[in-house]
Amino acid sequence: MNIRALTAALAATIVLPMGVAKATDLEVTHWWTSGGEAAAVAELAKAFNASGNNWVDGAIAGSGSTARPIMISRITGGDPMGATQFNHGRQAQELVEAGLMRDLTEVAEKGNWKEVIKPASLLDSCTIDGKIYCAPINIHSWQWLWLSNAAFEQAGVPVPKDWHEFVAAAPKLREAGIQPLALGGQAWQSGGLFDTLVLALGGKEVYESVYVDKDADVAAGPEMAKVFEAAAQAREMAAGSNVQDWNQATNLVITGKAGGQVMGDWAQGEFQIAGQVAGEDYSCLPGLGISPYIATGGDAFYFPVLDDEEKSKAQDVLAETMLDPKTQVAFNLKKGSLPVRGDVDLASVNDCMKKGLDIVAKGNALTSTDQALSADSQKQKEDLMTEFFSSTSLSPEDAQKRFADIISSAD
């Protein structure tokens, strides 16, 4: 027997671990690229790689509004990835209806997703015609005001307890050379700020009448007029931010250059990366300190149909891994979001996460605008808010009229 034959014979007797023998590369696209987000993604990759497969990271710099068209183009153009991020809601509905996304019902039934995922609305957003097409991975809420304790100390005013105190403190912050409100230039940021004002200042009934019931009369009414007046105040407070990305705006708060930021709970990841402690270095006010409600959305992963049996099996493993209790805790602690499972150990959560969990436990979690509005209606609203927050030439009254028109034809 020659050396080559002997080597082949010896290799044939070696038993490889099952996971390694079936290792499969799976590209996963997402738009999580900030420091806190990257740390959270690393937890997902580590858990999936531990299964013997290989996470191939397909991060797309920018935001969801930048990444989604690229993801959709690849899927519809015949170059699908193994898994891709979308927000909870209707962003992938047309792809599902076109038969381009895998049915995960069998995986979901095996993992008892209907029993463990809370609130149930998260899984409902993944369900079309009774079949489950995505794996919810976290609960995010937009309705948070993040405050720099150091900035208010420098300005000589107490850390605000609610939005009204924050607005009242803005002149003192300006006098101290501190930006009152940090706001990035991306459309979704001004849109999210506005929606937060709707729920916090308009209340639950107004929020649901406008976004869930699509009531144009309420959108044009006096309660929403108050919201637009507050938005004009926010516009004045945000003047001079001069940043583009959301995490750049968060960094202004972290460094004490800005007093506060209205941003989703994913901002917590940035504070944690910076070594700041909730309740000491920064404060967080869910519902802007006014409303006991938050609108829960978040992120989910969809799995495009692939003409590759091994990759399809790896997709199932990834979906299962994302919903594993340990993965849920590790990922969400880094991400700043809440786990979608109601049966995980949350002993290590921080002060802000406890506040969010308490609101969800009380049943005060409402439908997010991503779930209530189509992507087209969301885009129209975001375009309006971008124009409103970028120029004082658009009055609150005129903006409200245009907003009511959008709601009247929203779907």
Side-chain angles (χ1 to χ4, degrees):
M1 182 179 291
N2 60 33
I3 296 297
R4 182 176 297 177
L6 177 60
T7 301
L10 288 172
T13 67
I14 298 174
V15 179
L16 294 174
M18 182 176 294
V20 175
K22 296 184 178 180
T24 301
D25 290 341
L26 202 66
E27 181 190 9
V28 184
T29 55
H30 58 86
W31 56 82
W32 289 326
T33 56
S34 74
E37 291 172 330
V41 170
E43 294 294 339
L44 295 180
K46 181 171 68 175
F48 181 60
N49 291 345
S51 73
N53 292 290
N54 184 44
W55 173 291
V56 178
D57 201 69
I60 299 174
S63 63
S65 57
T66 300
R68 281 190 295 272
I70 297 172
M71 296 166 173
I72 292 170
S73 178
R74 283 191 53 184
I75 295 168
T76 57
D79 181 29
M81 61 295 291
T84 189
Q85 172 195 8
F86 284 104
N87 295 121
H88 296 319
R90 300 166 61 182
Q91 293 173 352
Q93 183 173 333
E94 292 183 359
L95 295 173
V96 171
E97 292 172 345
L100 297 173
M101 291 297 187
R102 285 195 60 208
D103 176 2
L104 300 178
T105 305
E106 187 175 336
V107 176
E109 290 176 346
K110 178 183 176 183
N112 295 316
W113 289 6
K114 287 187 178 180
E115 286 71 35
V116 300
I117 293 177
K118 306 293 181 184
S121 61
L122 300 177
L123 195 59
D124 290 343
S125 293
C126 291
T127 306
I128 297 178
D129 296 331
K131 296 179 179 180
I132 297 170
Y133 287 94
C134 67
I137 192 170
N138 58 14
I139 302 173
H140 270 314
S141 52
W142 241 107
Q143 294 73 29
W144 294 81
L145 175 58
W146 305 93
L147 302 168
S148 165
N149 292 358
F152 288 95
E153 181 179 353
Q154 182 180 337
V157 292
V159 176
K161 297 295 189 294
D162 60 34
W163 172 260
H164 301 303
E165 291 185 7
F166 178 53
V167 173
K172 287 292 186 181
L173 291 169
R174 287 281 190 200
E175 289 175 12
I178 298 170
Q179 172 73 33
L181 179 64
L183 177 65
Q186 296 160 321
W188 64 271
Q189 295 182 58
S190 54
L193 167 57
F194 177 77
D195 292 343
T196 298
L197 292 172
V198 174
L199 180 53
L201 304 179
K204 176 178 181 290
E205 289 187 7
V206 169
Y207 176 88
E208 292 190 329
S209 293
V210 171
Y211 290 133
V212 179
D213 300 333
K214 319 294 192 299
D215 191 325
D217 291 335
V218 174
E223 294 303 316
M224 281 300 300
K226 296 177 183 177
V227 173
F228 274 91
E229 290 172 6
Q233 290 179 315
R235 177 172 63 184
E236 182 178 347
M237 293 166 65
S241 282
N242 297 325
V243 293
Q244 181 70 10
D245 295 336
W246 71 268
N247 52 307
Q248 294 174 323
T250 304
N251 190 60
L252 293 178
V253 180
I254 291 171
T255 56
K257 296 177 181 177
Q261 177 191 25
V262 174
M263 183 51 60
D265 50 13
W266 49 89
Q268 288 190 82
E270 303 305 300
F271 285 99
Q272 290 176 183
I273 287 290
Q276 297 208 343
V277 179
E280 295 180 14
D281 302 304
Y282 67 98
S283 298
C284 54
L285 302 178
L288 305 187
I290 299 171
S291 171
Y293 296 95
I294 57 176
T296 53
D299 302 288
F301 277 84
Y302 287 77
F303 299 82
V305 173
L306 302 177
D307 187 20
D308 186 313
E309 184 177 353
E310 291 304 315
K311 288 187 182 294
S312 296
K313 291 178 180 178
Q315 287 177 320
D316 290 348
V317 173
L318 179 56
E320 292 172 354
T321 301
M322 287 177 166
L323 269 295
D324 178 81
K326 291 182 179 179
T327 307
Q328 276 282 296
V329 172
F331 169 78
N332 284 290
L333 284 177
K334 295 286 179 65
K335 188 68 167 64
S337 48
L338 305 178
V340 298
R341 294 186 68 113
D343 60 349
V344 296
D345 180 10
L346 296 171
S348 54
V349 301
N350 66 24
D351 182 63
C352 295
M353 290 182 75
K354 288 177 182 176
K355 291 180 180 179
L357 286 168
D358 183 57
I359 292 173
V360 172
K362 290 178 179 176
N364 288 351
L366 307 181
T367 302
S368 72
T369 56
D370 278 327
Q371 294 167 293
L373 298 175
S374 69
D376 180 61
S377 296
Q378 279 279 69
K379 179 67 164 55
Q380 293 179 53
K381 175 170 62 69
E382 288 182 352
D383 288 346
L384 172 60
M385 290 306 132
T386 298
E387 181 181 350
F388 179 78
F389 277 93
S390 63
S391 174
T392 56
S393 63
L394 180 56
S395 70
E397 294 78 14
D398 289 341
Q400 184 178 3
K401 290 177 183 177
R402 289 171 56 180
F403 176 74
D405 288 340
I406 292 172
I407 295 303
S408 69
S409 58
D411 57 357

